[in-house]
């Protein structure tokens, strides 16, 4: 068959300016509402939000307008065909039968990309080859010269998305829209296609989304100053300036994505750009002050970006830092993103940085609207500010937060405490004086319980770990906030040094789960001559049971010269005491690698490297069944529930009888067991008293800070009847 150039073929369907088209715009996750608003203002119809994107309809002029003006999308695709495909033959035929020559010519170089939201009938790379073959063969079938295929040099992208058997074919006509023309590194391009570009610390469309969250366009109209003290390459400053100057982000973009499309209307596109140019010429005169600080090694990069932009003269970037600065004006809007540098490898430095940021902002930026980007929600307490909004977004694969708040010119007066809280405060003040004296003089510790769920109206535990207050709430109520405030005022502990935790009934599935994404806050605490690491932030429990203080004193008195077995050892505070006081041999058993690692850190902290200590990672039931060594003292403090791959789940109420029988079988003639549980509904099986002396010593095992309406644990001393 005689081959003809496809340019000689008339378009089977020339897109009319009023023809309805269907589009898909992608955007950063959690920015779908912002993209929807942008598209609605640009004239889009039938808008539907989907994860990380928006579906909408409109004419071809809307495509040009959206690619030119929209700030939050990453790409815009024209949907050309939706069909069902359950096999390679079906997919190939559907692609083959579509008139691709309406969109491509022999002058084009195209590439295919495939995504799947649910499992398809074949891998994505195989589906991509089918689409490519179908497009190429559609040209061969009509005797036309085929376009070239290249993933690196493509000027048209054909996208296939498979959702089960539902297939959607589209053309990516708005391409890499997040990349602005002022990116500082020189462009490397081929046929107008960017092959390699500088990557900023944050993508421009995500920066635009965060500025929308901060309501910067409204602040800019009011003439407020924009300030970014951590501007790095100046991404936020550039986006803020573009918004304030009414500058279309793709106005001077070398390649948008539709320039090599057969249906491209160059005149219509130029008309949109001419109108955008007029708007920019008017908007730049109204631009408010914009300024920022950056590191010395980022300054040249930021300045090159300013030089490449059409509005760089409106921005001032200089070497400096937040803490050496005063507010550049009486009122303004600031966004801080201190998410780069070696400092974020050190959790302690991270917390210190955000604490200092909070203090400096309150001292210097009264009257400002402020947005602080946090790598962890837990860092909110370090800022010590009242947040008005907290937005979640993703910086790459990392979950981050935008904390939005306004700093008032004068501190707001605190809401008066209720009568109940005032009465609680009076009682706790007396308790605080008593407990702190005991902690210092008798117990010789910096860890104690201030409030032990004493009043039903305030269901919580309040513990002091050195200079940190930990509130473990059993419910989220206004009364808990009052209790926290009362404790803070009594102890002189600020919000940054307060940790809030929610206690709940655990199951076997979540026993060792972290509360949420947090930066670990680890402290060294002391009790007598002993030192322990406590992880205050990551889990509900800290790794240290302060309510077992009396038992640790008993072990210290009893374990000298004796062998000591610690089952479900957790972080092994009992083992540390036994080894330190001269136990002949100490063995600690737990299934958790995390806890055993922390236990060995505790041993090193107490200089027990040369002590006779053994660490065993094993299921306790299996360990007891496979070992015959005899012990003088066995301490067993099982979890309420425990599970694991390849072993039977443990339930303390169901399994404590068999557990204690196995422990008793490993006791020396005069040995005994300390059995403890924190399960409030636990009942010791009375049948055990037939074989053992079972002494309930719970009341004796509680110091004054842990007595009250709800005891924290039960404790028994058990000896076999010989």
């Amino acid at each position: 068959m005689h081959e003809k150039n496809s340019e000689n073929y008339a378009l089977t369907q020339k897109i009319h300016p009023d023809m309805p088209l269907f589009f898909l715009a992608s955007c950063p996750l959690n920015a779908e509402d912002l993209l929807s608003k942008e598209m609605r203002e640009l004239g889009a119809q039938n808008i539907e939000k989907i994860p990380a994107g928006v579906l909408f309809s409109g004419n071809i002029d809307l495509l040009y307008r959206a690619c030119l003006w929209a700030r939050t999308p990453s790409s815009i695709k024209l949907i050309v065909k939706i069909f069902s495909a359950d096999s390679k033959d079906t997919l190939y035929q559907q692609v083959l039968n579509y008139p691709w020559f309406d969109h491509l010519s022999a002058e084009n170089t195209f590439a295919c990309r495939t995504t799947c939201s649910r499992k398809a009938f074949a891998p994505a790379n195989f589906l991509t080859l089918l689409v490519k073959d179908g497009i190429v063969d559609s040209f061969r079938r009509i005797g036309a010269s085929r376009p070239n295929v290249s993933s690196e040099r493509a000027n048209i992208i054909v996208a296939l998305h498979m959702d089960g058997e539902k297939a959607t074919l589209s053309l990516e006509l708005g391409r890499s829209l997040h990349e602005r023309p002022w990116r500082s590194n020189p462009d490397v391009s081929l046929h107008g296609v960017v092959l390699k570009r500088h990557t900023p610390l944050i993508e421009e469309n995500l920066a635009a989304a965060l500025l929308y969250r901060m309501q910067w366009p409204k602040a800019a109209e009011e003439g407020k100053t924009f300030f970014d003290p951590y501007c790095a390459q100046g991404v936020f400053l550039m986006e803020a300036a573009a918004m304030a100057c009414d500058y279309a982000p793709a106005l001077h973009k070398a390649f948008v994505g539709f320039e090599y499309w057969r249906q491209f209307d160059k005149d219509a596109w130029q008309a949109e750009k001419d109108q955008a140019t007029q708007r920019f010429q008017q908007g730049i005169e109204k631009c408010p002050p914009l300024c920022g600080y950056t590191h010395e090694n980022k300054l040249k990069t930021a300045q090159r970006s300013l030089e490449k932009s059409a509005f760089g003269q409106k921005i001032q970037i200089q070497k400096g830092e937040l803490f050496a600065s005063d507010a550049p004006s009486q009122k303004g809007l600031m966004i801080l993103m201190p998410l780069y540098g070696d400092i974020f490898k050190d959790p302690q430095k991270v917390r210190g940085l955000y604490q200092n940021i909070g203090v400096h902002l309150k001292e210097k930026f009264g009257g400002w609207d402020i947005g602080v980007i946090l790598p962890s929600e837990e860092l909110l307490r370090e800022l010590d500010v009242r947040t008005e909004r907290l937005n979640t977004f993703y910086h790459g694969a990392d979950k981050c937060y935008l904390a939005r708040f306004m700093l008032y010119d004068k501190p707001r007066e605190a809401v008066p405490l209720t009568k109940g809280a005032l009465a609680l405060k009076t009682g706790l003040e007396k308790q605080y004086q008593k407990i702190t004296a005991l902690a210092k003089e008798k117990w010789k510790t910096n860890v104690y319980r201030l409030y032990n769920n004493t009043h039903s109206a305030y269901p919580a535990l309040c513990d002091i770990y050195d200079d940190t207050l930990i509130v473990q709430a059993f419910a989220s109520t206004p009364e808990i906030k009052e209790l926290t405030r009362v404790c803070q005022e009594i102890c002189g502990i600020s919000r940054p040094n307060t940790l809030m935790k929610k206690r709940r009934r655990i199951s076997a599935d979540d026993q060792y789960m972290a509360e949420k994404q947090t930066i670990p806050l680890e402290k060294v605490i002391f009790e007598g001559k002993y030192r322990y690491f406590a992880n205050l932030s990551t889990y509900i429990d800290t790794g240290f049971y302060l309510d077992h203080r009396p038992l640790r004193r008993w072990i210290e008195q009893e374990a000298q010269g004796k062998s000591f077995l610690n089952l479900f050892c957790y972080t092994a505070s009992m083992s540390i005491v036994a080894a330190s006081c001269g136990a002949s041999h100490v063995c600690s058993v737990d299934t958790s690698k995390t806890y055993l690692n922390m236990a060995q850190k505790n041993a090193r902290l107490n200089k027990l490297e040369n002590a006779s200590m053994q660490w065993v990672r094993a299921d306790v039931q299996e360990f007891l069944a496979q070992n015959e060594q005899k012990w003088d003292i066995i301490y067993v403090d099982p979890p309420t529930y425990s599970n694991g791959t390849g072993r039977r789940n443990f339930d303390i109420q169901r399994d404590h009888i068999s557990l204690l029988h196995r422990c008793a079988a490993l006791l020396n003639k005069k040995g005994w067991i300390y059995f403890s549980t924190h399960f409030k509904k636990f009942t010791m099986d009375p049948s055990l008293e037939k074989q053992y002396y079972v002494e309930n010593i719970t009341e004796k095992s509680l110091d004054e800070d842990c007595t009250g309406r709800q005891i924290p644990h039960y404790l028994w001393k058990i000896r076999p009847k010989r």
Side-chain angles (χ1 to χ4, degrees):
M1 180 180 292
H2 177 67
E3 279 201 356
K4 302 176 182 178
N5 192 300
S6 59
E7 290 290 354
N8 296 328
Y9 280 83
L11 298 175
T12 58
Q13 188 178 35
K14 174 70 175 176
I15 295 180
H16 188 273
D18 296 327
M19 181 182 295
L21 304 171
F22 296 92
F23 302 97
L24 167 63
S26 61
C27 67
L29 191 64
N30 292 352
E32 298 87 354
D33 59 321
L34 301 172
L35 179 55
S36 296
K37 184 175 183 294
E38 279 196 304
M39 292 305 169
R40 187 176 297 108
E41 292 173 349
L42 290 169
Q45 303 292 323
N46 305 312
I47 298 172
E48 178 186 348
K49 289 185 286 187
I50 60 174
V54 169
L55 294 165
F56 61 96
S57 64
N59 58 24
I60 194 169
D61 289 337
L62 173 65
L63 169 66
Y64 300 139
R65 210 158 46 243
C67 289
L68 182 64
W69 280 104
R71 303 183 190 278
T72 56
S74 305
S75 66
I76 297 178
K77 299 181 178 72
L78 169 66
I79 299 173
V80 298
K81 191 171 187 178
I82 300 175
F83 55 92
S84 179
D86 58 359
S87 67
K88 64 178 183 179
D89 291 336
T90 303
L91 177 62
Y92 172 78
Q93 287 298 326
Q94 289 284 352
V95 175
L96 177 68
N97 293 333
Y98 184 76
W100 292 103
F101 35 83
D102 282 347
H103 303 284
L104 307 175
S105 72
E107 313 303 323
N108 283 123
T109 299
F110 77 96
C112 299
R113 296 174 182 168
T114 299
T115 57
C116 302
S117 58
R118 286 190 294 171
K119 188 175 181 180
F121 62 83
N125 57 352
F126 180 74
L127 299 176
T128 299
L129 290 175
L130 285 177
V131 173
K132 184 266 294 182
D133 290 344
I135 294 172
V136 170
D137 292 346
S138 71
F139 282 84
R140 288 172 174 162
R141 188 168 63 173
I142 64 171
S145 299
R146 49 158 284 184
N148 295 316
V149 181
S150 173
S151 59
E152 295 180 352
R153 301 183 178 185
N155 49 45
I156 290 287
I157 300 293
V158 179
L160 168 68
H161 179 70
M162 296 294 298
D163 183 8
E165 294 182 0
K166 180 182 177 182
T168 302
L169 284 169
S170 58
L171 297 172
E172 191 170 346
L173 299 179
R175 187 167 162 193
S176 301
L177 297 179
H178 59 283
E179 295 181 355
R180 308 304 195 221
W182 51 79
R183 281 201 178 183
S184 58
N185 280 9
D187 300 338
V188 179
S189 62
L190 182 67
H191 303 303
V193 182
V194 175
L195 301 181
K196 181 181 179 181
R197 302 201 65 166
H198 167 71
T199 301
L201 292 172
I202 184 171
E203 296 289 3
E204 291 95 331
N205 62 330
L206 176 55
L210 297 178
L211 289 170
Y212 278 138
R213 294 284 184 220
M214 292 293 301
Q215 299 181 5
W216 163 243
K218 180 181 177 182
E221 288 180 5
E222 296 171 355
K224 290 184 177 180
T225 299
F226 182 85
F227 181 44
D228 180 0
Y230 290 95
C231 74
Q233 303 107 315
V235 175
F236 279 109
L237 280 165
M238 302 296 285
E239 288 301 306
M243 290 180 179
C245 294
D246 200 18
Y247 178 86
L251 179 58
H252 295 110
K253 196 173 174 69
F255 178 75
V256 177
F258 43 59
E259 289 87 347
Y260 291 85
W261 180 40
R262 258 194 105 182
Q263 299 275 2
F264 175 51
D265 188 335
K266 186 176 181 179
D267 293 336
W269 172 238
Q270 188 60 48
E272 292 287 349
K273 292 175 67 175
D274 291 344
Q275 186 179 12
T277 300
Q278 293 177 6
R279 286 176 56 175
F280 170 59
Q281 291 170 350
Q282 297 170 2
I284 195 171
E285 300 301 325
K286 303 175 183 178
C287 184
L290 300 105
C291 52
Y293 290 149
T294 189
H295 293 168
E296 185 174 9
N297 59 353
K298 305 286 185 185
L299 185 58
K300 290 184 179 179
T301 304
Q303 289 174 340
R304 283 197 297 268
S305 295
L306 297 184
E307 293 169 0
K308 290 185 66 176
S309 72
F311 44 77
Q313 72 275 17
K314 294 292 183 178
I315 303 173
Q316 292 183 352
I317 298 179
Q318 57 185 315
K319 184 178 69 173
E321 62 170 359
L322 170 68
F323 302 112
S325 68
D326 292 330
S329 63
Q330 187 175 1
K331 292 183 182 292
L333 185 146
M334 179 198 304
I335 193 163
L336 302 90
M337 185 181 176
L339 290 180
Y340 56 88
D342 291 339
I343 189 173
F344 279 86
K345 298 177 183 178
D346 186 335
Q348 298 291 349
K349 289 184 178 180
V350 172
R351 283 187 290 274
L353 171 64
Y354 278 88
Q355 287 175 9
N356 293 334
I357 287 174
V359 170
H360 185 77
L361 293 180
K362 285 180 280 189
E363 288 180 353
K364 302 291 187 179
F365 288 85
W368 276 61
D369 294 302
I370 297 175
V372 181
I373 293 172
L374 311 169
S376 166
E377 189 176 1
E378 180 252 353
L379 286 172
L380 268 177
R381 71 181 185 86
E382 311 296 348
L383 286 175
D384 193 24
V385 295
R386 183 172 296 178
T387 305
E388 296 174 359
R389 291 287 180 89
L390 187 69
N391 295 108
T392 304
F393 67 96
Y394 287 86
H395 184 242
D398 298 325
K399 188 176 184 180
C400 297
Y401 304 87
L402 173 66
R404 300 154 53 190
F405 52 92
M406 180 183 183
L407 293 176
Y408 294 86
D409 294 316
K410 296 181 180 179
R412 289 180 285 184
E413 295 183 2
V415 178
L417 292 171
T418 63
K419 290 183 179 180
L422 287 171
L424 174 70
K425 185 175 182 180
T426 301
L428 279 183
E429 285 175 337
K430 297 178 181 179
Q431 174 79 349
Y432 178 67
Q433 294 175 0
K434 174 185 176 182
I435 295 301
T436 52
L438 287 169
K440 182 179 180 180
E441 299 168 10
K442 180 182 177 181
W443 306 329
K444 302 186 186 312
T445 183
N446 61 347
V447 181
Y448 53 88
R449 180 155 292 166
L450 177 61
Y451 176 79
N452 190 41
N453 196 17
T454 310
H455 304 286
S456 59
Y458 301 93
L461 305 173
C462 299
D463 296 334
I464 306 297
Y465 278 73
D466 192 24
D467 60 350
T468 302
L469 169 66
I470 299 179
V471 179
Q472 302 180 54
F474 296 98
S476 298
T477 64
E479 288 77 14
I480 297 299
K481 293 182 179 179
E482 282 196 317
L483 170 64
T484 303
R485 178 180 161 189
V486 165
C487 292
Q488 288 171 335
E489 292 177 359
I490 290 173
C491 303
I493 293 177
S494 63
R495 283 181 60 192
N497 286 349
T498 302
L499 281 169
M500 302 295 298
K501 299 187 179 185
K502 176 75 177 294
R503 290 208 76 95
R504 56 192 173 86
R505 181 178 297 176
I506 65 169
S507 69
D509 294 328
D510 59 12
Q511 179 191 358
Y512 297 114
M513 293 298 290
E515 278 207 287
K516 59 182 74 174
Q517 182 186 4
T518 60
I519 295 177
L521 174 59
E522 198 171 80
K523 279 186 176 291
V524 175
I525 58 174
F526 64 84
E527 187 178 275
K529 65 179 182 180
Y530 307 107
R531 300 292 183 269
Y532 307 99
F533 286 103
N535 184 341
L536 305 188
S537 62
T538 306
Y539 301 96
I540 289 287
D541 294 315
T542 64
F544 181 77
Y545 285 130
L546 64 88
D547 53 292
H548 270 311
R549 190 186 304 123
L551 180 57
R552 283 187 287 272
R553 293 199 296 267
W554 298 342
I555 296 295
E556 184 179 32
Q557 297 166 7
E558 298 167 348
Q560 184 175 4
K562 293 184 172 62
S563 56
F564 182 83
L565 176 62
N566 188 352
L567 301 175
F568 304 100
C569 72
Y570 200 35
T571 56
S573 62
M574 298 296 176
S575 300
I576 301 303
V577 172
S580 297
C581 74
S584 60
H585 182 61
V586 177
C587 180
S588 304
V589 184
D590 204 292
T591 59
S592 170
K593 182 180 179 180
T594 299
Y595 288 148
L596 283 175
N597 287 340
M598 197 167 183
Q600 292 175 72
K601 281 179 62 179
N602 283 333
R604 291 191 294 271
L605 184 64
N606 287 274
K607 302 186 186 320
L608 294 172
E609 292 91 340
N610 297 323
S612 179
M613 301 188 75
Q614 181 183 3
W615 310 97
V616 179
R617 185 184 178 193
D619 174 69
V620 168
Q621 297 275 38
E622 293 178 1
F623 174 85
L624 292 172
Q626 297 171 6
N627 283 267
E628 298 180 355
Q629 183 176 349
K630 300 295 183 179
W631 303 88
D632 296 313
I633 304 173
I634 298 178
Y635 171 59
V636 54
D637 188 356
T640 302
Y641 304 102
S642 180
N643 67 356
T645 305
R647 58 185 173 87
R648 183 171 179 259
N649 291 350
F650 178 85
D651 181 302
I652 190 170
Q653 188 62 64
R654 180 192 67 200
D655 299 326
H656 75 281
I657 301 174
S658 61
L659 175 65
L660 289 172
H661 282 322
R662 288 182 172 179
C663 289
L666 297 184
L667 282 175
N668 283 324
K669 186 174 182 180
K670 294 183 179 181
W672 65 89
I673 301 167
Y674 282 120
F675 175 78
S676 175
T677 179
H678 289 79
F679 182 35
K680 302 300 183 292
K681 296 182 179 181
F682 178 79
T683 302
M684 179 69 76
D685 193 291
S687 67
L688 291 168
E689 295 183 358
K690 295 178 181 179
Q691 295 178 256
Y692 310 104
Y693 296 107
V694 181
E695 180 184 3
N696 189 332
I697 56 175
T698 302
E699 295 297 327
K700 299 178 184 178
S701 71
L702 297 172
D703 278 333
E704 289 89 334
D705 58 337
C706 291
T707 57
R709 188 171 66 92
Q710 179 175 309
I711 60 174
H713 67 248
Y714 298 110
L715 181 64
W716 288 266
K717 187 174 184 179
I718 301 171
R719 293 174 296 151
K721 293 180 179 179
R722 302 294 185 183

